[in-house]
Amino acid sequence: MFKRRRRPSAWYGLGVLLAALLTASAAAAHTFDVHAVMSKDGSQVYFDPIGLHIQPGDTVRWVQVNGYHSVTAYAPSNGNHELRIPERAQPWDSGMLLGEYPAKGSTFEHTFALPGVYDYFCQPHEAAGMVGRIVVGAPGDGPGTRPFGYAPDRHWKPVPEVAQKAFPAIQSIMEKGAVRAPELEHTR
């Protein structure tokens, strides 16, 4: 007696397609390193690269090379700082990184799900201009693309002027993919 074989249902085909897409998208995600650096004499602090263009689903791993740093998103939940990440994005704060790479506690990772511009800073060195900018996918028109101080009625802590001047232009990040810290531009 022969049994009639059932044809796979449309749901089965959709499931296979969805699994393939999820696998492809996970395989396509990348991790990018950004170094947190303090010069030997302590006079210069910076992230390198200071500007980075990535895609949604990519991860950035900050590596403390030397000194003492944090990696903190500009967001009201982080010390009432001005919002400079997409409105629906999850803010992050590494806390103080402990140790120098490769010691435990010397790295921090964040995966970026939403497109837009993400500005971040080092808590102990923000006033020295230690900031960075990540563009995820297309910049859009979110808070990170707006002029500094765009919402005075919110009474957020403003981005210090020295930090404002340190951010690379969004267009430069889009064109280059990565923008090195000005301290390193002469080392190319």
Side-chain angles (χ1 to χ4, degrees):
M1 182 107 14
F2 291 102
K3 277 191 168 180
R4 187 175 167 173
R5 289 183 75 193
R6 296 180 97 199
R7 285 186 150 175
S9 74
W11 288 110
Y12 175 79
L14 184 61
V16 170
L17 178 63
L18 184 59
L21 287 173
L22 289 173
T23 303
S25 111
H30 295 94
T31 298
F32 297 87
D33 282 356
V34 173
H35 296 125
V37 180
M38 177 183 284
S39 63
K40 289 182 183 191
D41 66 0
S43 65
Q44 296 179 326
V45 287
Y46 52 89
F47 291 108
D48 185 46
I50 190 171
L52 188 61
H53 182 225
I54 64 174
Q55 296 303 314
D58 286 347
T59 298
V60 173
R61 179 176 76 147
W62 286 271
V63 178
Q64 179 161 272
V65 175
N66 55 14
Y68 53 96
H69 307 286
S70 79
V71 181
T72 307
Y74 273 106
S77 62
N78 289 332
N80 199 39
H81 278 82
E82 179 178 319
L83 182 65
R84 304 226 29 100
I85 65 173
E87 280 101 352
R88 294 183 6 251
Q90 183 67 41
W92 71 89
D93 180 8
S94 67
M96 197 61 64
L97 296 177
L98 303 172
E100 294 179 0
Y101 187 77
K104 184 177 178 180
S106 64
T107 64
F108 176 77
E109 292 185 3
H110 183 79
T111 300
F112 294 82
L114 300 174
V117 175
Y118 294 74
D119 289 347
Y120 64 92
F121 65 101
C122 171
Q123 288 185 16
H125 302 117
E126 178 189 25
M130 189 171 181
V131 296
R133 174 171 280 164
I134 297 171
V135 180
V136 180
D141 62 357
T145 66
R146 298 177 189 149
F148 293 99
Y150 67 91
D153 56 316
R154 297 287 187 99
H155 304 290
W156 289 328
K157 183 177 178 184
V159 177
E161 191 172 328
V162 67
Q164 292 179 28
K165 291 178 179 178
F167 285 105
I170 294 168
Q171 187 61 37
S172 179
I173 296 170
M174 298 295 291
E175 290 170 2
K176 296 178 180 178
V179 175
R180 306 243 12 223
E183 294 82 355
L184 301 174
E185 281 298 313
H186 66 281
T187 62
R188 285 186 190 205

